[in-house]
Amino acid sequence: MAVPKRDAAFNQLAEYARKHSNDDNSITTTFGTPVPEKDSSLTVGYHGPVLLQDWFSLDELAHFSRERIPERVVHARGAGAFGYFEVTHDITKYTAATVFAQIGKKTPVGVRFSQVAGELGYADTVRDIRGFALKFYTEDGIWDITGNNQPVFFVRDFVMFPSLIHVMKRNPKTHIRLDYDMFWDFLTLRPETTHTTMIFFSDRGIPDSFRKQHGYGVNTYAFVNAQGKFNYCKFHWLSNQGIGTLTSAEAQKIAGIDPDFHIRDLYNAIANGNFPSWNFYIQIMTPEQAAKSEFDPFDDTKVWPHGQYPLIPVGKIVLNRNPENYFAEVEQIGFDPAHLIPGIEPSPDRMLQGRLFAYGDTQRHRLGPNHIQLPVNCPFHVHNYDRDGRFAIHNQGGAPNYHPNTFNGPVNDKRAQALTPQIPLQGVANRIDSVNEDNFTQARVLYQRVMKPDEKTRLVQNIVSFLVPTTSALRERAIDLFAHVDESLAQRIRDSLKATAIEQHVNL
Ligand code: HEM
């Protein structure tokens, strides 16, 4: 079959047909036996009832009814690709993680891009934070960085996460997204959201493709080196395609024409051999620096200023393969901040601490207790004492299923033991609300020193477009919030709201 001149995503089926002939291509049942007739059910006469013995048609219908699994409770919409990570600089003085063992070492990676709040069928170009999750298939097992395209996050305590997501999802009564009253009510009551909200409304709130955005681990982790010395660290991966963004007007137009704009772009780039890449960096903070830091280094609403904690180059990530089976490799991939390897540890970052629990928990619900046995989640032989459960595939070849034992079951790993840091901890158990931490200094730096004049103008327009539909009381609270960032920003929002109201005949 001739393949028409269209892009790779449009031509997927035509390419398949070109490569596969129809000879020796019989339909089979799910258990592999040949099927005589696919397109008619087995009936008694033309109008007769269908026979129960028509197991093939019934089996197909039963499988169809079970095709969908629960979508991710957040980050439901996305796309994935595969490739490798290559070490370009030596960081073994910071970590003994084997993935960084020597310059030139390559490790396979899986990546998933997503948007936080939209559902599976949403349009790609809505304003949102984008997820940017990395899975490293290392020789020590799976290491995941479940990151985003922004360096900071809205809230700093994981208990705030369900409420944050509720206000960005559908109103449970009207089933409408976005409910602007819910949105501004929550944001103005929790001022720690301000820094990320500023980025959300900036140009970076709508990337023009998955390829043209940076990635950040956001949370603070720790590294342990071969001598057992630990340091805190952050992860960054910066796009070699540059940064590309869309204005709200461009994004709205594209959403109406091609809701799969970002998915198509990624697929076509990789299919055409235009492999996207990112340079990978770390920031390092010693425990002594952390103890004296003027900001909380474990607060994910804050960045570590690059002047004080410079980016240290480590390697690069290249994506060079589209998924063969989107469902198996992207819908069923499960990233988990608790997937850490020897040499990389969590930090006291409160948000990260909650995330260590949440991902495995949701994946046991979304994918099942043995999701880790799916090849995309773990292509290795695992040695432990877990057995059975729904869809168990590997049963570890008759090894003992209890520990300790004297029948040569798997034993504790000495190297992992040596790399477990000794961290002295002390304190009084308490629930401490962090709402009155410093919530505005870094947002102010972003507005006053980083944003260019035209970016500030679009920031104001974007904020105003979300403020117009809410109540006057919430508008006042939002203006007050932005006044804590910068008085002139608040004034511009107020002025722009008045002008917009006149234009739209809204009674403010
Ligand atoms: C305590 C706060 C958080 C909780 C409870 C939480 C929870 C979740 C859950 C339940 C999922 C769905 C996972 C799945 O079904 O496989 C998810 C996905 C995701 N989260 Fe979070 N999250 C939190 C904070 C964050 C933060 C701070 C970031 C950014 C670094 C982040 C980035 C992501 C990404 C990128 C995904 C999508 C992973 C994928 O592509 O499959 N989350 N989160």
Side-chain angles (χ1 to χ4, degrees), residues 343-467:
I344 306 173
E345 295 281 326
S347 79
D349 180 331
R350 260 203 234 183
M351 193 68 154
L352 176 62
Q353 293 281 323
R355 297 181 74 204
L356 297 176
F357 162 74
Y359 291 68
D361 181 52
T362 195
Q363 285 152 14
R364 280 184 281 276
H365 158 68
R366 184 170 74 82
L367 302 168
N370 282 312
H371 65 277
I372 207 72
Q373 294 191 18
L374 297 167
V376 74
N377 289 329
C378 184
F380 308 112
H381 287 295
V382 166
H383 310 279
N384 62 17
Y385 293 89
D386 295 346
R387 293 291 185 279
D388 306 345
R390 196 176 277 192
F391 310 130
I393 300 164
H394 306 297
N395 232 0
Q396 312 201 18
N401 67 349
Y402 61 93
H403 188 265
N405 64 76
T406 53
F407 291 97
N408 292 344
V411 295
N412 292 330
D413 183 85
K414 296 243 161 21
R415 190 172 61 91
Q417 239 167 29
L419 289 174
T420 305
Q422 311 285 309
I423 305 176
L425 294 174
Q426 210 181 356
V428 177
N430 199 356
R431 294 183 191 274
I432 306 166
D433 189 344
S434 64
V435 71
N436 291 324
E437 289 280 313
D438 172 12
N439 296 314
F440 301 108
T441 303
Q442 292 199 353
R444 190 172 305 122
V445 171
L446 177 67
Y447 184 71
Q448 293 180 347
R449 297 206 217 137
V450 181
M451 286 188 169
K452 300 191 180 73
D454 58 321
E455 290 174 334
K456 289 182 182 173
T457 302
R458 287 190 294 274
L459 173 79
V460 170
Q461 286 164 351
N462 294 332
I463 292 174
V464 165
S465 70
F466 273 54
L467 275 175

Side-chain angles (χ1 to χ4, degrees), residues 72-75 112 114 131-133 146-148 153 158 161 217-218 300 335 351 355 358-359 362-363 366:
R72 289 166 175 87
V73 61
V74 280
H75 295 263
R112 184 169 177 272
S114 52
F132 195 160
T146 318
N148 277 349
F153 197 66
F158 72 86
F161 188 78
V218 179
D300 70 356
F335 296 89
M351 193 68 154
R355 297 181 74 204
Y359 291 68
T362 195
Q363 285 152 14
R366 184 170 74 82

